[in-house]
Amino acid sequence: MPDSPKEEVDETGGPDLISFADMPDRLEAAGLTRISKQRCRQLAEEDPAWPVPLDKALKVGRMRLFDWRVLEPYFRNRTPRQGQRTDLKPPATEA
């Protein structure tokens, strides 16, 4: 009988908790684009589509923990936006 695929769910059936520091490695392991923990934190603070409000995140000391099973669909469906370099634009001329 073939082995069943490994599930990412904890054996106890509880949430799969990760911190901002764990997110870059988890994204890469899931086959997604790796982004820095600072960018993950920025998305959590600024993106209205972030699935877990920061005030609802589980806190352990100063660390915030999030359920990976809730975050993974967010990162899979998120359209990355490249920043614009303002230093390369010519100065605007007044008419």
Side-chain angles (χ1 to χ4, degrees):
M1 180 178 241
D3 293 333
S4 59
K6 184 179 177 186
E7 295 182 5
E8 292 187 28
V9 179
D10 187 344
E11 290 179 8
T12 63
D16 184 9
L17 299 177
I18 64 169
S19 66
F20 286 117
D22 300 328
M23 287 182 195
D25 291 333
R26 189 62 73 96
L27 287 167
E28 191 171 47
L32 298 169
T33 303
R34 182 183 181 97
I35 58 176
S36 69
K37 64 183 178 182
Q38 293 87 355
R39 178 66 176 141
C40 292
R41 185 181 312 272
Q42 182 182 29
L43 288 171
E45 292 174 0
E46 297 176 0
D47 189 352
W50 182 262
V52 183
L54 287 177
D55 60 339
K56 303 288 186 208
L58 179 64
K59 291 182 183 176
V60 178
R62 293 174 47 195
M63 185 172 38
R64 293 185 187 115
L65 298 176
F66 301 90
D67 187 351
W68 173 247
R69 294 176 295 171
V70 174
L71 289 179
E72 184 178 17
Y74 165 79
F75 282 112
R76 284 204 185 280
N77 299 322
R78 180 178 164 273
T79 304
R81 292 184 347 213
Q82 295 295 324
Q84 272 189 314
R85 290 191 55 182
T86 57
D87 60 331
L88 298 178
K89 288 185 178 181
T93 58
E94 294 183 26

